[in-house]
Amino acid sequence: MTLLGDFALWAAVLVGAWCAVISFSGRWRDRPDLAATVTRSTHALLVCMLAASLALWQGLISHDFNIEYVAAYTSRNLPPYFIVSAFWAGQKGSLLFWAVVLSLFGSLAQTLTPRRYSDLLPHVAGVTSAVVVFFVSVMLASANPFERLPFTPADGRGLNPQLQNVGMVIHPPMLYLGYISITVPFAFAVAALLSRRLDTGWIHAIRKWTLVSWLFLSIGITLGMWWAYVELGWGGYWAWDPVENASLLPWLTMTAFLHSVMIQEKRGMLKRWNLGLIIGTFLLSIFGTFITRSGVISSVHSFTQSNVGYFFLAFLVVAAIFGFTLLYTRWPLLEPEAQLDSVVSREAAFLFNNLLFVGIAFSVLWGTLFPILSELVKGHKITVGPPFFNRVNVPLGLLLLGLTGVGPLIAWRRASPENLKRQFLWPGVAGLLTLAGLLAAGMRDLYPLMAIALAGFVLGTVVQEFYRGMRARMRMHAESPPMALARLVARNRRRYGGYIVHLGLMIYFVAFAGMAFKQEQEATLKPGQSVVMRSPFGHTYKFTHLGISQYEALNRIVSAATVEVTKDGKPDGLITSEKRQHVDSFRRPTFEPSTEVGIRSGLQEDVYVVFAGAVNGTEEAVYRFNLNPLVWWVWYGGFVLVFGGLLTMWPGGGPVLRGPRGAQAGYRAALAGK
Amino acid sequence: MSGEGRPAPGGPLASRRRFLLTAGGGLAAAVGVTGVLRAQGEEPLAGQGATGTLRDPSVVGRPQDATHPLDNSEAIKRIEQRLHCTCGCNLDVFTCRTTDFSCTYSPELHREVVALYQDGKTAQQILDAFVAKYGEKVLMAPEPVGFNLWGYLLPGAVITLGAAILAVVIGRRERVRSVALAAAPGSEGGGGAPPVAATPEELERLRAALAEVDD
């Protein structure tokens, strides 16, 4: 099957290269048959990549340890679902995963795009195929997943214990899907620039793709936080690690685009900015791949260091020069159709929101690359870790949260003082009441205080928007409140889905603020001994060590330490944390013993128990106990955010494509005169 | 004679020997039982005594030391959160020693911090001592001095500058537009469109309709 895999990769290079060359040469313009062939070749590319993927999966499932990748990432006793996920666990397999998913998206883009944009499709096929060819070339040149060993080991090494987690089965594909799907909007942007069809058509063509990409990135980032929390054992979910930062960068710029594209759709403005954002987002997705795979910056998440980083760096430079040069050459064709009327307008608020999103992205990128820059300038290395990022980014994040509440309250084009007063009154009161409540409760920490107060303001904004829309429907259509709410959302999914996304973001910030009050304690306990902790919510927990049991499981020897928990004097069950020594099918140790934390999640706080190890080989155990406030709300915030995103992109109920904007001017004049 | 000098069986001598034998045997048995009991008390199997011995200690990772009171010190934790572990991971000393239990570097660095702390050094003096020994990279974030200031200030400066430029440009366009509109014949500053006559009820209905559909 490796022969089939190798053959499929070479065939993919040939098919993809042919498609890209014909596409960019423009020969298809006078030859409809060539144009049809170009678009059809994306399907052929998909077939090649599927064949290569099936060949690798066949090797994994059949335990063909003569394949270096199979021997490095699986063993005979690895549970089946981890054998499947081993496909993307390593450098080589994940490159193949990238290529096959991109070829699928390239093929889907050709199939699902409405016919009115068919003149863009050959260029789109060219771009997606060129990117697939790049990934396959990297595999063939430096990271071939079908590489064979000179001997066949009796068993493989198995999967890294930290990757043997359900989060790692789902999280990497989600993140990859996010990264990869960005290529499609980029391809449409390039197609629009090449074909000089720079009206808002291409924007409509990519709307769903940008949302899909943003959704997958959101899910991937949230699942990544969850994996770090349950698997890495440090009691947190975000450490400003370079690879974490790399996933955040395209999310930030894509979120900026999702806001600014509304201005282009409504007013025909920000065309250059939006194209720049799409090109930048694609480059950041490649940059993230470069960071993860090059080893240029150390990270707990990165793949083994290899020379594929050079390929990605070269591709990044070429793609940046190509994209921005193309944008520059079309600059005169991208004149805005209107000008901003006022600083106090929804458009201006979106502009400032974009400035903040891009500013935060710059700040994260700057912090991630600053060690390299510092080494170049000062000649010695420095470390840029969480204290740096928190100092620089927390104030910016709070500003962004504030704007999340402000944006929806300001009218399009120009807001009058009366309008502002009417819109800001209740959200402002909500924010101030939240602040007063927190101060009365004795909270004095500046950042958490501001985060939760601003969250109150955002919540006030969202509730007011829903309430007013609902009330308008009830009055105009004589509907009951639930019916009015349902129809309000169904008829304008984009707007109200967006508000639900804002709610999700607000929940995130409140949850992040909660972690400022986390409690930690380390204790060494003999069986029967206890330790007592008090949580920020005033609960008293008592942990009594019961003992350590050892037993064998499928691919590991487990040492399980158990504590009995009481909360405010009442029994609250048992929590077990484990040390796992993974072994191969010959019971030979494969990795260092790993730790599995014990977690009891609650709405107020998580009880997080880590078994650090035993003292002198006895049952005397060293534990770390954490009481982590509001962590559950991070996952809930992610759920709300994704639900809002899904609602926004659900078919039907989309934006009403209005005619000329002039009709609205009369309305504004009369209202302003009132 | 000899027979006369020997105590008769069952006499006082025999009684003493039996007594001594009995007492000695009893004592030996008592000592033996105690020893066995003590030995069992020292090494019962896991789950069968106060602190049992693990069946296979080699699979529980690196043996741990019992927790020292200073391991939970908030002051030490704050210092260690500002120090980078030198094991090659990307974590601070506190997180590494309480997360990566196979790391041998972070416990050693922790002991160094504790020793300096017990010597009466302040947090800054401890950090300075680490920088002197390991270089600037041992800090989780560089001190905001010299070139490092660029790292801290540039993002905020770029955003502030961007916001200022935006505000000035939009404000200027707004003023130019207002002047142009004011100069236009028949205009009331409403974008050049003729005013629409409408009753307050109509305007309220219009506002409600716009609120519903406007995204």
Side-chain angles (χ1 to χ4, degrees):
Chain A
M1 288 297 272
T2 53
L3 198 63
L4 171 69
D6 269 327
F7 177 77
L9 291 183
W10 282 108
V13 169
L14 293 176
V15 171
W18 184 84
C19 174
V21 168
I22 297 293
S23 162
F24 290 119
S25 69
R27 294 286 302 276
W28 51 271
R29 288 186 198 285
D30 312 319
R31 298 265 309 269
D33 55 330
L34 260 187
T37 316
V38 166
T39 56
R40 250 183 261 137
S41 62
T42 59
H43 309 314
L45 194 56
L46 173 63
V47 170
C48 293
M49 295 316 303
L50 281 176
S53 304
L54 287 175
L56 183 59
W57 254 317
Q58 202 274 338
L60 289 165
I61 291 166
S62 64
H63 299 306
D64 184 354
F65 296 121
N66 190 246
I67 301 173
E68 189 270 334
Y69 187 80
V70 177
Y73 292 100
T74 63
S75 59
R76 290 186 191 279
N77 57 2
L78 190 67
Y81 39 96
F82 291 133
I83 289 179
V84 172
S85 69
F87 187 98
W88 50 79
Q91 173 90 280
K92 298 170 179 177
S94 63
L95 286 173
L96 181 56
F97 186 75
W98 244 96
V100 69
V101 174
L102 181 53
S103 59
L104 173 68
F105 285 163
S107 176
L108 285 176
Q110 300 296 321
T111 312
L112 301 178
T113 305
R115 282 179 176 275
R116 60 182 177 275
Y117 308 119
S118 58
D119 53 335
L120 295 175
L121 289 179
H123 279 315
V124 171
V127 175
T128 56
S129 299
V131 181
V132 172
V133 166
F134 164 71
F135 272 87
V136 178
S137 303
V138 171
M139 276 186 269
L140 289 171
S142 177
N144 191 336
F146 301 107
E147 186 184 339
R148 285 203 171 269
L149 292 168
F151 62 96
T152 304
D155 199 357
R157 187 163 183 244
L159 197 60
N160 185 322
Q162 291 185 335
L163 303 185
Q164 293 188 37
N165 176 290
V166 69
M168 281 309 277
V169 177
I170 313 166
H171 150 65
M174 289 293 132
L175 211 49
Y176 287 143
L177 289 171
Y179 277 145
I180 299 163
S181 51
I182 291 169
T183 309
V184 178
F186 171 73
F188 272 97
V190 169
L193 287 167
L194 284 172
S195 60
R196 297 168 192 268
R197 207 187 133 171
L198 292 163
D199 54 11
T200 52
W202 73 275
I203 291 280
H204 295 303
I206 65 164
R207 196 178 114 69
K208 288 273 159 58
W209 284 104
T210 51
L211 279 167
V212 163
S213 175
W214 181 87
L215 266 179
F216 279 131
L217 277 176
S218 304
I219 297 170
I221 291 170
T222 308
L223 281 175
M225 290 197 284
W226 180 76
W227 170 77
Y229 183 68
V230 302
E231 196 57 44
L232 292 185
W234 54 275
Y237 38 76
W238 192 265
W240 294 108
D241 180 89
V243 171
E244 293 171 356
N245 296 349
S247 68
L248 186 63
L249 290 171
W251 185 88
L252 286 166
T253 50
M254 186 59 88
T255 312
F257 174 80
L258 290 175
H259 286 89
S260 61
V261 76
M262 281 189 258
I263 303 181
Q264 183 166 348
E265 285 177 357
K266 289 181 79 72
R267 306 283 313 272
M269 296 156 64
L270 300 182
K271 292 176 182 175
R272 294 161 180 159
W273 176 252
N274 285 330
L275 277 162
L277 276 179
I278 285 292
I279 294 169
T281 304
F282 172 72
L283 295 175
L284 287 172
S285 78
I286 299 295
F287 172 78
T289 315
F290 163 69
I291 286 281
T292 320
R293 291 158 195 282
S294 63
V296 67
I297 297 171
S298 65
S299 159
V300 289
H301 303 278
S302 56
F303 290 100
T304 315
Q305 195 169 345
S306 75
N307 62 352
V308 301
Y310 297 113
F311 293 96
F312 279 96
L313 189 59
F315 183 71
L316 191 63
V317 171
V318 169
I321 292 172
F322 171 74
F324 287 117
T325 306
L326 196 57
L327 177 60
Y328 177 73
T329 56
R330 304 296 189 267
W331 200 258
L333 304 173
L334 294 162
E335 283 292 330
E337 294 163 27
Q339 300 288 343
L340 275 181
D341 296 310
S342 166
V343 178
V344 192
S345 64
R346 179 85 61 94
E347 297 91 316
F350 274 18
L351 264 185
F352 284 109
N353 141 309
N354 259 241
L355 179 71
L356 259 182
F357 270 117
V358 175
I360 293 173
F362 169 72
S363 165
V364 174
L365 182 66
W366 176 248
T368 307
L369 296 178
F370 196 66
I372 299 173
L373 193 69
S374 175
E375 194 174 0
L376 285 173
V377 173
K378 291 161 65 177
H380 65 263
K381 280 190 176 176
I382 59 162
T383 307
V384 174
F388 174 92
F389 286 102
N390 288 338
R391 190 186 281 194
V392 175
N393 288 313
V394 169
L396 298 177
L398 291 175
L399 259 177
L400 187 67
L401 181 62
L403 265 184
T404 306
V406 169
L409 298 178
I410 303 181
W412 287 98
R413 303 197 70 166
R414 184 195 301 273
S416 65
E418 294 76 23
N419 170 272
L420 290 176
K421 191 176 156 193
R422 176 174 171 267
Q423 289 285 80
F424 275 84
L425 179 64
W426 290 113
V429 167
L432 287 174
L433 281 179
T434 311
L435 181 66
L438 293 172
L439 287 171
M443 190 188 278
R444 293 293 181 273
D445 305 72
L446 180 65
Y447 285 154
L449 201 64
M450 286 177 70
I452 301 174
L454 285 169
F457 170 65
V458 175
L459 181 65
T461 298
V462 173
V463 169
Q464 175 174 280
E465 288 296 298
F466 272 92
Y467 173 73
R468 286 194 176 153
M470 208 173 83
R471 201 183 55 177
R473 279 203 70 88
M474 286 163 64
R475 219 170 29 223
M476 289 169 67
H477 306 290
E479 290 170 345
S480 64
M483 182 60 74
L485 179 65
R487 288 195 173 151
L488 178 77
V489 176
R491 281 171 59 97
N492 206 334
R493 289 170 199 167
R494 188 173 183 182
R495 179 181 182 183
Y496 290 96
Y499 289 155
I500 292 172
V501 171
H502 285 189
L503 270 186
L505 193 75
M506 178 214 87
I507 295 170
Y508 267 138
F509 271 84
V510 172
F512 296 159
M515 278 303 256
F517 305 99
K518 144 178 166 179
Q519 300 287 314
E520 293 173 283
Q521 184 161 349
E522 203 172 300
T524 303
L525 302 175
K526 291 178 179 174
Q529 289 185 330
S530 306
V531 66
V532 175
M533 289 179 77
R534 195 168 166 78
S535 82
F537 283 99
H539 300 296
T540 303
Y541 289 91
K542 184 179 173 188
F543 304 101
T544 306
H545 175 44
L546 296 184
I548 301 171
S549 60
Q550 291 188 306
Y551 57 91
E552 293 194 10
L554 176 64
N555 64 343
R556 58 189 182 272
I557 302 166
V558 179
S559 304
T562 304
V563 288
E564 186 182 55
V565 186
T566 63
K567 182 180 176 184
D568 298 328
K570 294 175 187 162
D572 199 29
L574 307 176
I575 298 181
T576 297
S577 172
E578 297 176 354
K579 283 280 178 198
R580 292 178 176 177
Q581 174 62 68
H582 283 81
V583 293
D584 63 13
S585 58
F586 299 101
R587 314 310 285 173
R588 295 175 303 198
T590 46
F591 294 90
E592 287 281 320
S594 61
T595 309
E596 285 294 312
V597 298
I599 303 173
R600 168 80 48 80
S601 278
L603 287 180
Q604 288 186 336
E605 59 215 350
D606 277 17
V607 178
Y608 191 94
V609 179
V610 187
F611 172 39
V615 178
N616 296 326
T618 68
E619 277 191 290
E620 187 175 8
V622 179
Y623 281 107
R624 191 157 60 85
F625 299 100
N626 281 14
L627 298 176
N628 299 330
L630 304 178
V631 172
W632 190 85
W633 292 90
V634 176
W635 324 133
Y636 184 66
F639 173 78
V640 172
L641 189 99
V642 169
F643 174 72
L646 278 173
L647 192 66
T648 301
M649 66 176 288
W650 204 257
V656 181
L657 298 177
R658 298 183 179 90
R661 297 283 143 196
Q664 279 191 0
Y667 291 151
R668 188 178 60 77
L671 285 172
K674 182 178 176 275
Chain B
M1 281 301 285
S2 64
E4 285 176 3
R6 191 180 292 168
L13 197 59
S15 301
R16 194 180 305 127
R17 186 184 294 154
R18 194 178 299 126
F19 168 75
L20 288 173
L21 280 171
T22 308
L27 187 63
V31 169
V33 168
T34 309
V36 168
L37 286 176
R38 192 185 300 141
Q40 281 184 351
E42 277 173 4
E43 291 185 356
L45 284 174
Q48 294 180 4
T51 311
T53 303
L54 299 178
R55 187 174 56 127
D56 185 359
S58 69
V59 296
V60 197
R62 200 171 56 78
Q64 297 289 308
D65 296 328
T67 311
H68 187 276
L70 281 176
D71 292 346
N72 283 318
S73 157
E74 197 61 30
I76 299 249
K77 176 184 157 187
R78 285 210 192 101
I79 295 167
E80 289 182 350
Q81 282 177 331
R82 295 175 65 186
L83 292 171
H84 191 223
C85 182
T86 53
C87 73
C89 69
N90 222 25
L91 303 170
D92 62 70
V93 171
F94 175 79
T95 308
C96 187
R97 78 174 169 86
T98 55
T99 303
D100 183 356
F101 303 108
S102 61
C103 176
T104 53
Y105 289 76
S106 51
E108 190 55 45
L109 294 167
H110 170 62
R111 277 191 281 275
E112 282 186 46
V113 173
V114 169
L116 290 166
Y117 184 78
Q118 285 176 325
D119 280 352
K121 297 273 193 295
T122 64
Q124 192 55 50
Q125 285 171 328
I126 294 172
L127 294 174
D128 291 343
F130 268 78
V131 171
K133 185 173 178 183
Y134 298 100
E136 194 183 358
K137 71 176 178 193
V138 81
L139 297 176
M140 281 303 285
E143 292 290 341
V145 290
F147 178 74
N148 297 338
L149 268 176
W150 281 97
Y152 285 96
L153 298 181
L154 191 67
V158 166
I159 293 172
T160 309
L161 187 68
I165 291 172
L166 264 181
V168 167
V169 169
I170 300 170
R172 188 174 296 165
R173 282 182 185 169
E174 193 177 351
R175 279 194 298 277
V176 170
R177 193 178 160 81
S178 310
V179 170
L181 285 175
S187 169
E188 292 181 12
V196 177
T199 65
E201 290 75 25
E202 287 170 335
L203 287 172
E204 182 55 32
R205 277 172 50 207
L206 175 61
R207 187 157 31 214
L210 284 174
E212 191 194 339
V213 299
D214 194 10
D215 59 5

